[in-house]
Amino acid sequence: MAFIEDIVTPLRRLETVLNEALLRLQQAQDTEALHDLRVCLRRIRSLLRPLRGCPGATRLDRAAAELGRLTTPLRDLEVLITELARHHLDWQANVRQSDLQARCRQLLAHPQLIDFPSRLHAWCRRFRRTARRAAKHRLDRHLLRQQRQLRRALADTGYDRHRLRLLIKRLRYAAEAYPQRLSLSPEATACLKAAQNALGDWHDREVWCLQAEHQADLWPLLPQWQAEQRQTLARADVLLAALSPALVAKTGGASRS
């Protein structure tokens, strides 16, 4: 059944990417391994989330989400180290680099991370055997609901920007996971990516400002980060205003084939 292979085949590829990222994470000098691991987990979740209700899909999706939560503080620290190095604050960066390496070693020993690749492999085998036609309709309903949820959020000027960033990220990854069933125009895709990046820049500054309130060695950069936080939020709002009409006018609906 082509529908099943459209899910299992990319999950098998992501399983390989996941294992490679875990091997690279063991090498302290690989500064992209953690980021690639997190992107891989997001892509896995984008394929699994619309299939909630299928046997085991919800549990596996929750396991991937928990790994995302476990790695978020490490990624925040990694991004902060890059920012400190950019400002030539070598002592502050080196202290945090040692902390990051220790926490990455702890992550690699975490039972949930160790077990996840085998759980993913087993789920793919099970889904191939047990998937039913109802899964396709469940998938279409979920993708359509994601589009509508984001459109409503964009129409609400008071909507929480952190939550909005997650909704944008989810729709973008869902469109990449299911291009035949969630068709976005090039304009909508570009707007999603630009808005996500802008909100990500704003989010980084907000995290850094919060950390600087409790870490005195970050105080020299606090005024600059506060100014950049306001600037990145203003830029994000402009891009969000462009995203809304792009989605409403040119986003294709979920395929019913």
Side-chain angles (χ1 to χ4, degrees):
M1 186 176 178
F3 166 70
I4 296 175
E5 293 307 316
D6 285 345
I7 296 169
V8 172
T9 299
L11 279 175
R12 288 296 193 206
R13 286 198 296 266
L14 288 168
E15 181 185 347
T16 299
V17 173
L18 176 71
N19 286 322
E20 290 174 350
L22 290 174
L23 287 174
R24 290 165 51 211
L25 192 59
Q26 298 176 25
Q27 304 170 14
Q29 68 273 21
D30 192 329
T31 58
E32 294 297 319
L34 180 61
H35 174 259
D36 291 348
L37 171 63
R38 286 170 53 78
V39 170
C40 184
L41 289 170
R42 288 192 206 108
R43 295 190 189 283
I44 290 170
R45 293 200 67 205
S46 294
L47 286 160
L48 290 174
R49 192 181 294 111
L51 299 173
R52 287 180 173 181
C54 295
T58 300
R59 289 193 298 274
L60 189 60
D61 176 56
R62 288 175 178 168
E66 178 59 24
L67 291 177
R69 284 189 287 272
L70 285 172
T71 56
T72 292
L74 278 69
R75 179 56 181 166
D76 286 343
L77 180 57
E78 192 172 56
V79 173
L80 174 59
I81 290 168
T82 300
E83 173 72 1
L84 293 173
R86 187 172 71 86
H87 288 279
H88 306 291
L89 297 176
D90 296 334
W91 181 83
Q92 290 91 330
N94 290 337
V95 168
R96 288 168 175 82
Q97 184 66 39
S98 297
D99 182 33
L100 176 63
Q101 292 174 2
R103 293 168 71 176
C104 283
R105 288 192 293 270
Q106 292 175 352
L107 174 68
L108 287 167
H110 198 288
Q112 285 182 269
L113 188 62
I114 293 172
D115 292 344
F116 185 79
S118 59
R119 292 181 63 182
L120 175 62
H121 187 83
W123 185 87
C124 289
R125 285 204 315 270
R126 182 180 182 186
F127 182 73
R128 186 174 270 145
R129 292 196 312 268
T130 62
R132 299 291 182 267
R133 185 174 180 81
K136 184 188 297 186
H137 300 297
R138 184 181 295 113
L139 167 62
D140 288 335
R141 288 195 301 270
H142 180 92
L143 295 175
L144 185 60
R145 186 164 58 248
Q146 274 192 288
Q147 295 179 63
R148 290 173 175 169
Q149 188 178 15
L150 178 54
R151 289 171 181 171
R152 286 195 296 267
L154 289 168
D156 181 357
T157 56
Y159 201 86
D160 179 75
R161 290 297 185 264
H162 293 288
R163 176 64 178 165
L164 187 56
R165 173 172 162 264
L166 292 178
L167 293 179
I168 290 171
K169 186 183 297 185
R170 286 175 183 175
L171 184 61
R172 180 186 168 201
Y173 278 100
E176 293 178 0
Y178 294 104
Q180 301 89 353
R181 314 194 73 80
L182 179 55
S183 175
L184 296 181
S185 70
E187 179 187 359
T189 300
C191 287
L192 276 173
K193 183 177 181 179
Q196 179 186 333
N197 289 340
L199 285 171
D201 289 341
W202 164 73
H203 170 79
D204 287 342
R205 271 80 185 165
E206 182 172 71
V207 170
W208 299 342
C209 288
L210 289 173
Q211 291 182 352
E213 292 178 3
H214 308 287
Q215 301 176 35
D217 63 335
L218 299 179
W219 287 355
L221 290 177
L222 182 56
Q224 179 177 336
W225 287 342
Q226 290 172 330
E228 290 177 353
Q229 184 183 8
R230 293 188 293 269
Q231 294 165 2
T232 51
L233 181 57
R235 179 172 179 270
D237 284 341
V238 171
L239 293 169
L240 290 172
L243 172 60
S244 186
L247 286 175
V248 171
K250 298 186 179 182
T251 300
S255 167
R256 294 295 175 182
S257 60

